Amino acid sequence: MTEKHKVAILGSGNWGSTVAKIVGSNVKTKTESFDPEVRVWVYEELVDGRKLTEIINSDHENVKYLPGKKLPENVVAVPDPIEAVAGADILVFVLPHQFVRGLCAKLRGNVREGAFAVSLIKGVEFDENGIVLISDVISKELGVECSVLMGANIANEIADEQFSEATIGYKNAAHAKLLQIIFQKPYFRIAGAPDIPGVEICGALKNVVALGAGFCDGLGYGNNTKAAVIRFGLLEMVRFAKKFFKNVQYTTFLQSSGVADLITTCYGGRNRKCAEAFARAGGRKSFEELEVELLNGQKLQGTLTAKEVHEVLQRQKLMKEFPFFEVIYDIVYEGRPVEQFLQELSEKELSLEGNIE
Ligand SMILES: NC(=O)c1ccc[n+]([C@@H]2O[C@H](COP(=O)([O-])OP(=O)(O)OC[C@H]3O[C@@H](n4cnc5c(N)ncnc54)[C@H](O)[C@@H]3O)[C@@H](O)[C@H]2O)c1
Ligand SMILES: O=P(O)(O)OC[C@H](O)CO
């Protein structure tokens, strides 16, 4: 008899909890191939005086990050990441990208032989050579292969079981097929793309574009302006991906991980929401304050990614080729007035394309 697969989920925020709902329900119906217990690592905290892990295990609900949605009873919350991955061969990483290295350091040496990972994390890092993919961080830190799953995936809508799609970026097709089995639902369609960098870079950069979309909303601009801003952002996403990863496929931008995620995030995401509030306050409230005020413990990824992208562009003297990413960085980190968002941007962006000679 072949050994059953066992899934562990690392992270239990808004998306992590939604994913636990999906995966818990899927493996429960496929016990011939999967261990029905899905352990979820929960960053422990007190909610109304009770431990969040205890609330999840007794009430089967993550009352802080996904209130109002029941989790299957085979989803078990644990505060110790090593206990979460014990015996698991499929590791689902779904936590804010700033916490990945700390978690990997705890997990190193404790992952089952033959295990593989998938990252649902939208973010990047950088080093002296340029951009570092989070899937590569996980892969190198833990010695596991790591696929990615990204897409137009606002968690609350998927938790409501509204139809959505996602893209698995993979190198190993056998892993991708197993991942499709644990994630796919009639309301959640999973496609594949053998292009990990393309899928992952789209997922990270769309969060920066969403800040621009939020500025537009906060400054009171209409639909045409916002569409132009989204297009500028998409141009830079493609330019950036091609610059740092030569083999990125254009078709990836047409997947859910590309244009669909960009659209949903620029209309309904948390980065957009906080950027709108930032612009409405005329830049007088910081993103840190707004994150606390508006997101109840959930985390923004776009502001940090804007900084990481800027560091790489500055080191490689590429700032002029990315005026959109640069103006977002200047507004968030350098005190540039948000009202200046569109000034120069349109001119600079258009000078890079579309001139009529
Ligand atoms: N929420 C969505 O709609 C959505 C959809 C797709 C992808 N994502 C991506 O999934 C990833 C996880 O996002 P999320 O929405 O599940 O989380 P979240 O932003 O809702 O919640 C933040 C999480 O971080 C945890 N945390 C706080 N401090 C921590 C620390 N010091 N160390 C470790 N963990 C800590 C909290 O306990 C919580 O689980 C992000 O990269 C995000 O971009 C989110
Ligand atoms: O709420 P955001 O801005 O973090 O975006 C959520 C998802 O990434 C949308 O696919």
Side-chain angles (χ1 to χ4, degrees), residues 89-314:
D89 65 332
I90 304 179
L91 311 178
V92 179
F93 283 82
V94 53
L95 65 157
H97 76 285
Q98 58 269 41
F99 304 130
V100 168
R101 280 196 186 268
L103 175 63
C104 286
K106 289 188 184 134
L107 292 178
R108 206 177 299 135
N110 293 289
V111 167
R112 177 176 145 181
E113 184 81 36
F116 68 95
V118 59
S119 170
L120 279 56
I121 297 166
K122 291 177 177 171
V124 283
E125 285 192 359
F126 68 92
D127 66 11
E128 57 288 354
N129 300 316
I131 277 294
V132 178
L133 298 176
I134 299 296
S135 61
D136 281 338
V137 173
I138 294 169
S139 200
K140 286 193 183 119
E141 290 292 310
L142 302 180
V144 296
E145 269 206 63
C146 188
S147 306
V148 297
L149 184 145
M150 311 273 147
N153 297 154
I154 290 180
N156 292 333
E157 296 178 14
I158 299 180
D160 278 341
E161 306 192 355
Q162 296 182 40
F163 180 75
S164 305
E165 300 179 293
T167 312
I168 290 179
Y170 66 92
K171 259 196 270 191
N172 183 318
H175 292 172
K177 279 188 183 144
L178 274 170
L179 293 171
Q180 189 180 42
I181 292 171
I182 65 168
F183 287 115
Q184 187 146 275
K185 282 280 187 193
Y187 59 83
F188 192 39
R189 182 184 170 272
I190 310 293
D195 177 14
I196 293 175
V199 172
E200 193 167 349
I201 282 290
C202 282
L205 295 182
K206 65 85 187 171
N207 283 333
V208 182
V209 183
L211 297 174
F215 293 155
C216 259
D217 293 341
L219 292 167
Y221 294 126
N223 295 315
N224 296 339
T225 310
K226 189 162 165 181
V229 163
I230 293 171
R231 192 185 76 84
F232 291 152
L234 179 59
L235 280 174
E236 290 200 13
M237 285 170 59
V238 176
R239 202 177 290 147
F240 190 94
K242 290 300 252 182
K243 182 78 75 185
F244 290 97
F245 298 93
K246 300 282 175 250
N247 296 326
V248 160
Q249 297 165 12
Y250 279 114
T251 49
T252 301
F253 293 95
L254 302 178
Q255 289 256 11
S256 182
S257 55
V259 70
D261 196 6
L262 184 63
I263 293 168
T264 202
T265 213
C266 286
Y267 284 86
R270 299 167 295 187
N271 288 286
R272 187 220 65 82
K273 180 180 180 173
C274 290
E276 178 184 23
F278 180 89
R280 284 199 196 286
R284 281 181 297 276
K285 273 190 181 176
S286 70
F287 272 94
E288 288 83 0
E289 286 173 276
L290 290 165
E291 184 181 67
V292 171
E293 204 172 284
L294 299 176
L295 298 187
N296 188 33
Q298 296 184 32
K299 299 285 180 199
L300 287 178
Q301 301 280 262
T303 45
L304 195 51
T305 305
K307 191 172 187 186
E308 287 152 344
V309 164
H310 166 76
E311 298 283 349
V312 171
L313 296 178
Q314 190 178 41

Side-chain angles (χ1 to χ4, degrees), residues 13-26 28 40 50 52 54-76 155-156 158-161 185 187:
N14 189 228
W15 185 219
S17 302
T18 302
V19 161
K21 176 176 178 281
I22 292 173
V23 174
S25 144
N26 276 343
K28 204 167 53 174
V40 179
R50 293 170 72 200
L52 186 53
E54 286 171 15
I55 298 175
I56 293 173
N57 290 334
S58 58
D59 303 354
H60 306 290
E61 184 179 330
N62 187 337
V63 293
K64 177 158 180 187
Y65 294 102
L66 190 64
K69 294 285 173 290
K70 286 293 169 201
L71 301 177
E73 296 194 5
N74 54 322
V75 168
V76 177
N156 292 333
I158 299 180
D160 278 341
E161 306 192 355
K185 282 280 187 193
Y187 59 83

